[in-house]
Amino acid sequence: MSDAASKPKVYKPRPVTGFPEWLPEVRLIEQQWFDHIRRVFESYGFCSIETPSVEELDVLRAKGEVDKEIYVIERLHKDENDKSDARLALHFDQTVPLARYVAQNFNDLVFPFKRYQMQRVWRGERPQAGRFREFYQCDIDVIGVDNLPLHFDAELPAIMWEVMNGLPGMENERIRVHISNRKILMGFLESIGVSDEKTCREITTAIDKIAKSGLPLFYQSIREIFEKLPDHDTQEILVKMQEFGRIADLYKSSDELRDKLTHSEFIDTSHQTIREGIEELCFVMDNLSHLPEGAVVADLSIVRGLDYYTGTVYETVFLDDPSYGSICSGGRYDDLASSYISKKLPGVGISIGFSRLFARMVDQKKIDTSRKSPAEVLVMMPSEEQRPHIIALCRTLRENGLKVEMYHAAKKFPDQLKYASRKGIPFVLITEEDGTHKIKDMITGDQSEVDPKTWTPPTRKALDHVA
Amino acid sequence: MSDAASKPKVYKPRPVTGFPEWLPEVRLIEQQWFDHIRRVFESYGFCSIETPSVEELDVLRAKGEVDKEIYVIERLHKDENDKSDARLALHFDQTVPLARYVAQNFNDLVFPFKRYQMQRVWRGERPQAGRFREFYQCDIDVIGVDNLPLHFDAELPAIMWEVMNGLPGMENERIRVHISNRKILMGFLESIGVSDEKTCREITTAIDKIAKSGLPLFYQSIREIFEKLPDHDTQEILVKMQEFGRIADLYKSSDELRDKLTHSEFIDTSHQTIREGIEELCFVMDNLSHLPEGAVVADLSIVRGLDYYTGTVYETVFLDDPSYGSICSGGRYDDLASSYISKKLPGVGISIGFSRLFARMVDQKKIDTSRKSPAEVLVMMPSEEQRPHIIALCRTLRENGLKVEMYHAAKKFPDQLKYASRKGIPFVLITEEDGTHKIKDMITGDQSEVDPKTWTPPTRKALDHVA
């Protein structure tokens, strides 16, 4: 009832920085990505869970370091007198909610608990190039009670390899999974007399930064760490770290790794922690031997910054774009939910930074955006009198599993064809005056007579994005 | 590295009221619901979009009435000096974001724009029985430029009917779609001399409440409305409203409706607005005649409370549980985005209150929660030596499209079977010492020899929840 002529000056809406949003043709591929990831996760028996977008602020704050990135939520017109509600905040990852979920539902879950979770998370960062404040993460974790077999440490990289190599648009990307085991480095540090937890953490942080900042800065960091510690000879430590650097190489198989380390003069393979780390890493590599050569490497320079990892650690990189950093990463941890439950819950998990990866492929125009509609066929409407017949025709096609748009009005055929073309609908069904039907392939322009009761698109497999 | 014995007192996590969360076996069915809804929406050529969870507060506030339900978000440690960011808030529906999206991307969209959207929305209500503060809505809308054919008003109820009748667990629910056209009531009010917008709105609100509060309260509301208006004879209006009540009946077909209204002495079918309303409603009913009798009724008592509806309106109810109210509802509006764009964008849409409906079916134990895992088959591990063989076996099954969990350790067979049973995995694959394979059906207990290269579950159709 409003009248365009009398409208007030309009307000041009703008996108909110850091909160991605896609056009339909891009969203269609995003859905294909989610479908593919879900299909792979489920093919390994992982179940889906979703947690609320919010947790109590105290639950989130337990992981103090990201404090400043937390978004709290508040009712616009809250009752100032009402203190009944705990303060709520949007979750910034899916690990804290998983810990709360597992502790809360402990008696209803079957362990090892294999779950995947694909939800939005929020980080209240200052908007800057490539940083999202709302984004999807796709996580898988396996949680055990008291212990968790190494089997799962080997299963996750195989899953990630399969995920990464099936994403539409990623066909030409060369991906490599790097795997290490923190016990090797931790054991090495122990063996050279460094066992103080804080110092170990500072060293792993420094190692984690080598790829970004380079070796000279790394050695400077090590110097700074040990110059504060009078018990250690900084120069000697530096020599030892350089020695470790010589074995921190890439290994394509457990044989290569075992061979190099047992013959290395720089590492004491009889040291218990080191030996455990090597054995675990070799087990993981052996169980991934079915993957193509070079898909997975043991890489002792990988440590991951987060200090809750205790064994296997993973990173996945673009071979031709190392500056992107890790596409998906994760590792093994000793105890998921120690603040909530007195059971020990070891786990292993990997997380894909979905939105950042997807946005990269969109920016690089590597995804196909030719289809603005999921419809596989547009059914043309020849005349108003034919409407009941056309409705029935569409129903028949849908019953055969097709995605069908019925054109809404008896416009001229060229107009209807133009509509199909603009939406990127690949086929058009034409009903002739004599009652026969023709399919027009909108890409080749070919037309052929068909029986709508049995017709399916010749390229159906390629079109059907819900497998 | 933390030690269970030395742990501090644990904090028992509690669910946040109003934010639903499901166990894996319930979530699995929730996924089936989303998959089904998406499949139906796409089978009619609707494309998916997603918008950010937040909008600028000013954008949301344009729809003033829900002000107090808005959740604003704020960085926990924001810079007090930084005023660069607009205030952001979580969206409370998907219509306001749709309007902003369509205006913003107007030149990149193809009209009529048919989109579906299945996202979480947030309302900062006081928690109370059955009220969620975070929930999923599933919306479809069709947006035209300048005009939008009535075709789409008829398409939406067919889609909703198909959605509602295919949701797992809803098999025994009797659903009915009620359709009306507000032009009939508006024209009737005009014809009895009531055309003031505010009064019309008060009357529709009162009619909308009849189902809840009953007729006596309705007549009282009408009396109160008109006693404030000296131009009208309240008694006469009441008589007229009673007359309208006599035609505000249920009609199974356009013939029934047209017949009753043209022979009614209470309604002037030559009045232009009334006539338009009847013609539109009849068109919609005629185009739904393929649905089972009683699936759809014309119901002149339906008006919908929201005053932006201008023509067709819908409600969908449980025949055997009218107190639930409307499962999904919607209607036609004249202009989607008048505050953002000077084009006139008429639309028609329906929204399913997904989470409330799903929670009802869970509460009533009408959904099957026997499967805690998506895995169709558990592959048993006979011995550690067999591990490489078992890994390869799982790969073969996955390549055939099966969802497979590999048991992680060479435990005793009864333990492995118990695991399958606890997770609700319907089949177990056993590798015998002689290298042959058997499938055990966990429900019937039957075992039979199979070739893993070709085996697929006999009840695969029923199990496969991703179509």
PDB file of all heavy atoms in Angstrom, chain B residues 12 121 232-233 307 337:
ATOM      1  N   LYS B  12      30.246 -28.008  37.545  1.00  0.00           N
ATOM      2  CA  LYS B  12      29.280 -28.761  36.741  1.00  0.00           C
ATOM      3  C   LYS B  12      28.613 -27.829  35.734  1.00  0.00           C
ATOM      4  O   LYS B  12      27.909 -26.892  36.114  1.00  0.00           O
ATOM      5  CB  LYS B  12      28.234 -29.392  37.665  1.00  0.00           C
ATOM      6  CG  LYS B  12      27.061 -30.065  36.963  1.00  0.00           C
ATOM      7  CD  LYS B  12      27.422 -31.416  36.368  1.00  0.00           C
ATOM      8  CE  LYS B  12      26.215 -31.993  35.609  1.00  0.00           C
ATOM      9  NZ  LYS B  12      26.598 -33.020  34.634  1.00  0.00           N
ATOM     10  N   VAL B 121      17.963 -17.637  14.484  1.00  0.00           N
ATOM     11  CA  VAL B 121      17.612 -16.263  14.822  1.00  0.00           C
ATOM     12  C   VAL B 121      17.550 -16.174  16.347  1.00  0.00           C
ATOM     13  O   VAL B 121      17.471 -17.202  17.029  1.00  0.00           O
ATOM     14  CB  VAL B 121      16.262 -15.825  14.188  1.00  0.00           C
ATOM     15  CG1 VAL B 121      16.280 -16.000  12.677  1.00  0.00           C
ATOM     16  CG2 VAL B 121      15.097 -16.598  14.795  1.00  0.00           C
ATOM     17  N   HIS B 232     -19.020   6.138  13.916  1.00  0.00           N
ATOM     18  CA  HIS B 232     -19.579   4.823  13.626  1.00  0.00           C
ATOM     19  C   HIS B 232     -20.613   4.402  14.663  1.00  0.00           C
ATOM     20  O   HIS B 232     -20.466   4.699  15.841  1.00  0.00           O
ATOM     21  CB  HIS B 232     -18.461   3.773  13.600  1.00  0.00           C
ATOM     22  CG  HIS B 232     -17.489   3.996  12.484  1.00  0.00           C
ATOM     23  ND1 HIS B 232     -17.726   3.557  11.204  1.00  0.00           N
ATOM     24  CD2 HIS B 232     -16.277   4.615  12.463  1.00  0.00           C
ATOM     25  CE1 HIS B 232     -16.693   3.897  10.431  1.00  0.00           C
ATOM     26  NE2 HIS B 232     -15.810   4.539  11.173  1.00  0.00           N
ATOM     27  N   ASP B 233     -21.611   3.685  14.195  1.00  0.00           N
ATOM     28  CA  ASP B 233     -22.606   3.102  15.086  1.00  0.00           C
ATOM     29  C   ASP B 233     -22.095   1.725  15.503  1.00  0.00           C
ATOM     30  O   ASP B 233     -22.110   0.768  14.722  1.00  0.00           O
ATOM     31  CB  ASP B 233     -23.939   2.987  14.328  1.00  0.00           C
ATOM     32  CG  ASP B 233     -25.002   2.305  15.186  1.00  0.00           C
ATOM     33  OD1 ASP B 233     -24.645   1.630  16.191  1.00  0.00           O
ATOM     34  OD2 ASP B 233     -26.191   2.440  14.840  1.00  0.00           O
ATOM     35  N   ASP B 307       0.819  -6.382  10.066  1.00  0.00           N
ATOM     36  CA  ASP B 307       0.050  -5.540   9.156  1.00  0.00           C
ATOM     37  C   ASP B 307       0.697  -5.315   7.805  1.00  0.00           C
ATOM     38  O   ASP B 307       0.176  -4.598   6.985  1.00  0.00           O
ATOM     39  CB  ASP B 307      -0.325  -4.205   9.814  1.00  0.00           C
ATOM     40  CG  ASP B 307       0.884  -3.472  10.332  1.00  0.00           C
ATOM     41  OD1 ASP B 307       1.944  -4.112  10.421  1.00  0.00           O
ATOM     42  OD2 ASP B 307       0.774  -2.283  10.632  1.00  0.00           O
ATOM     43  N   ALA B 337      11.399  -3.779   0.615  1.00  0.00           N
ATOM     44  CA  ALA B 337      12.584  -3.038   1.057  1.00  0.00           C
ATOM     45  C   ALA B 337      12.461  -1.552   0.799  1.00  0.00           C
ATOM     46  O   ALA B 337      13.384  -0.904   0.344  1.00  0.00           O
ATOM     47  CB  ALA B 337      13.818  -3.615   0.348  1.00  0.00           C
TER      48      ALA B 337
END
